[in-house]
Every structure is written in structure tokens, then in C-alpha cells.
Amino acid sequence: MTDVRIELSSDTQTRPSEAMRRAMYAAEVADEQKEEDPTTNRLQEMTAELFGKEAALFLPTGTMCNTISILVHCRMGDEIICDRTAHIVNYEAGGPAAIAGASIRPINGNRGQFEAEDVRALLRPKGDRHAPQSRLAVIEQTSNGGGGSVWPLARIAAIADVAKTHGLAMHMDGARILNAVAASNQTAAAHAEFFDSLWLDLSKGLGCPVGAVLAGDRDFIQEAWRWKHRLGGAMRQSGVIAAAGVHALEHHVERLADDHANARLLASMLDGIDGITVEPVETNLVFFDVSGLGLTGTEFVERLLDEHGVRMGGHGNRIRAVTHLDVSRAQIEEAGQAIRRLTAA
Ligand SMILES: *Cc1c(COP(=O)(O)O)cnc(C)c1O
């Protein structure tokens, strides 16, 4: 396999830092299922406080956060409204249908986002025996498929208004919520305010090896705990991994702005290249189209890796590059130059 010198395929590709590993080594632990693990408890308290929610729950993955939230909010046959690019639609192996028995009504939004009117137009008549019942609206903050776009709070507030009036719960897939916080002038709690449930991923831009934390009110988290147990997500001395999360919340949040600056730098280097069309960059995701180069996306990704040691990902001709704490500004410059050389040849 080609040596990957510059890893831009995902923010999941980070390795825990020395300091993070030391925090994990030193973690105080006990039985998490009994709610006695002090480090896991601390991580949950920190997350609940960050979001201004009553309680939080440590889970192995973001996917399990979404699945459990859907299980708590929906009954079998209920309907979920979200954008067609959403992670729950495309990357969770049909979990909402397979596990929760919920169906999804996707919206063809703009940059992964939709409007309150879109939700209103899709609402099912209440009590109609023929129609599934609309139960949940899901917002992905930031939107991955939408190019790392940040949902403005006013748009979310309008959707929450419709949801409240019509008895829908609001759930945030917050895999990259702290990137949205870093890119906006609002606090995490201001972002969280409109949601009955939301979570953050520790294993993306925060640089942890594993984990996600789900937050909501006490009743929601109590129900979530039951599902966590049923699905086999209850752990034992989980403080060893929760310690990475505590460390990340203390040390890796402010620096997300550096990733965003690096993403903008990469975009500006690509912008001048003939045959490449760059999408607007709002956070740490850089999407660009290579159709004009006379190469397929697959060829582009393969050549960039084989000839330059730079790894990116893509769907068709739409390429994704992701900045994170294991790539430096100098490496971003190098990656930009590698693409210039590749496209000049
Ligand atoms: C990564 C991701 C998830 C799933 O998180 P995992 O921790 O990988 O299970 C969900 N939603 C979005 C938007 C993601 O990027």
C-alpha cells in the first residue's frame, strides 16, 4: 500500500496524542453500568453542561446515538423528516428502518439544509389511519453531504416552531456540532436549545479514538439508557476511553478554528486550478468537483495518493478533503501544491 503522508480522507483518521494517551492511562475507573465510573460521569456532566441539557449519556458511536434517539422518539411505522443527504439516510445501514421500524421522508434541500415550509408541506394528517405519523425532524449540524455547511439558528428556530406545533420531536445529528459552534458566533447551548436530543462525536474533529455523547432531558436520557443496555452498549470501566473525551473537551475545542483556516487555505489553492470547481467552505470539509480535469474522481484520488502520498475521498467526481488536528498548515500547502502538479501534468 502507498504510504499516506498527508491524510485528508476524514477527521476520523486522527491518532490519540501523547497527552490524550496519558490522560487515558491515568483515568480513574469503576463500573459504568452502575453509573459509578467517575471519568465517564465527568464526561457526561461536561457534555450536558456544554449543551445546557439536564443529562447526557456516553455511547460507543455516533451511529448508536442516532439509532437510540430514533428508538426513543419514534414508534414502529412513524416517519422521520430530514435532508436526503443525511447520515441516517445513507450511512447507517438502514438502521432507522431495521432497528426502529421508522420510515424516512427525505427532503431535497440546499447544501444539506431545508426550511420550515418544507417540513410543513410534508406533515401527515394527524390521526389519519392511512398515513404514517410524522414524529421527528432530524438536522445534521454541520451537514456533511451539504459541504460542511452550518445551519443558521434562525432556520432551525423556524423548523422547531413547526415541529412543536405539530408534535414532532427535534433531533440533532451533531457529529460536527462543535465545528458549527466554532464557525458561528453562538454558544453550543444556543445551538442545542431547539433540540430534544443531540450528540457530539468524540472520534471526529475532537481527535479521540472512540466515543460519542448524547444529551437531552432526564426522561429522555433514562429511556436512552434502557436502549443502550438492550443494544449491548452498556460498558464497564469505560473511564479509560471517556478520559480521552474529557481531555478533548478541555484541549481540542478551541483549536477547531485552525482546521477551518486550513480548509479555507486548501480551497483557495484549489480555486485557481482550471477544471476544478470548489464548493463554499464553512468549516473543516472541502468539497470540489474534478469533472473538468478529464479524470474521473476515482482516478484523481488514486493518482493523488500513489504519486503524492495525499489521501482524499470522494463520491463520483465530487472529492472530499477533511482537515483535522493531525494535519498541519505546511501539509495543507503541500497537498495544494501536489494537486497543482497533478493537474498541470
Ligand atoms: C460520522 C458521522 C456519524 C456517525 O458517527 P460514528 O461515530 O462514525 O458512528 C453520524 N452523522 C454524521 C454527520 C457523521 O459525520
Side-chain angles (χ1 to χ4, degrees):
M1 206 192 107
T2 321
D3 241 12
V4 181
R5 288 187 309 109
I6 303 177
E7 177 58 82
L8 293 168
S9 68
S10 178
D11 44 9
T12 56
Q13 298 302 304
T14 57
R15 305 287 198 275
S17 67
E18 284 274 334
M20 181 177 278
R21 287 169 195 251
R22 273 199 295 275
M24 295 171 79
Y25 182 85
E28 269 189 72
V29 299
D31 192 342
E32 185 244 20
Q33 295 191 16
K34 295 188 161 70
E35 300 183 42
E36 289 173 357
D37 183 272
T39 312
T40 304
N41 289 344
R42 169 124 195 267
L43 174 64
Q44 292 172 165
E45 282 155 21
M46 286 171 81
T47 307
E49 189 180 318
L50 179 71
F51 288 141
K53 297 293 183 198
E54 288 176 357
L57 182 62
F58 185 44
L59 288 164
T61 64
T63 300
M64 201 186 281
C65 291
N66 279 337
T67 301
I68 287 179
S69 299
I70 291 167
L71 282 162
V72 174
H73 292 305
C74 301
R75 284 178 300 165
M76 292 189 96
D78 283 348
E79 197 167 68
I80 300 167
I81 295 174
C82 67
D83 189 78
R84 71 183 167 82
T85 63
H87 199 275
I88 59 167
V89 173
N90 300 298
Y91 305 111
E92 300 189 5
I99 304 174
S103 56
I104 295 183
R105 198 101 186 272
I107 294 174
N108 190 11
N110 178 27
R111 281 179 65 73
Q113 304 186 15
F114 48 87
E115 305 288 345
E117 302 85 81
D118 298 320
V119 175
R120 201 176 282 116
L122 291 184
L123 290 172
R124 303 291 195 169
K126 212 162 195 125
D128 184 331
R129 282 195 288 117
H130 303 272
Q133 294 296 286
S134 318
R135 193 73 65 189
L136 179 67
V138 176
I139 280 171
E140 193 174 294
Q141 180 73 297
T142 66
S143 165
N144 175 23
S149 69
V150 179
W151 285 77
L153 294 193
R155 183 169 292 151
I156 296 173
I159 291 169
D161 217 42
V162 173
K164 195 166 186 182
T165 309
H166 297 277
L168 275 72
M170 291 280 289
H171 172 70
M172 183 204 291
D173 173 336
R176 297 189 179 81
I177 171 61
L178 295 183
N179 293 92
V181 170
S184 66
N185 284 323
Q186 287 104 0
T187 62
H191 280 265
E193 185 189 334
F194 305 102
F195 294 91
D196 301 292
S197 54
L198 79 160
W199 57 274
L200 60 79
D201 214 325
L202 297 168
S203 71
K204 301 266 164 89
L206 293 179
C208 298
V210 62
V213 193
L214 176 65
D217 68 22
R218 243 173 237 109
D219 289 347
F220 172 83
I221 292 297
Q222 194 176 332
E223 284 304 303
W225 241 123
R226 181 170 285 121
W227 276 113
K228 165 170 158 149
H229 207 96
R230 273 190 195 126
L231 296 175
M235 294 176 258
R236 306 287 186 201
Q237 288 72 31
S238 58
V240 172
I241 47 176
V246 171
H247 179 84
L249 288 179
E250 285 172 347
H251 302 285
H252 293 172
V253 176
E254 296 280 304
R255 60 154 309 287
L256 289 170
D258 303 343
D259 296 342
H260 298 179
N262 282 341
R264 287 193 299 271
L265 171 64
L266 181 63
S268 72
M269 292 183 80
L270 299 180
D271 210 20
I273 299 175
D274 253 5
I276 289 185
T277 314
V278 190
E279 296 177 25
V281 172
E282 297 180 45
T283 52
N284 68 326
L285 309 182
V286 181
F287 282 83
F288 56 99
D289 190 286
V290 294
S291 303
L293 289 177
L295 288 174
T296 66
T298 310
E299 286 165 347
F300 175 88
V301 167
E302 277 175 11
R303 284 192 52 195
L304 191 61
L305 180 57
D306 289 346
E307 297 167 23
H308 301 276
V310 178
R311 181 149 78 176
M312 295 183 179
H315 279 294
N317 290 333
R318 190 180 184 220
I319 309 300
R320 187 183 80 156
V322 186
T323 60
H324 53 75
L325 75 175
D326 283 359
V327 294
S328 65
R329 193 167 177 85
Q331 287 180 309
I332 291 295
E333 279 169 3
E334 213 185 302
Q337 272 148 17
I339 291 175
R340 281 184 186 160
R341 282 205 301 281
L342 190 153
T343 53

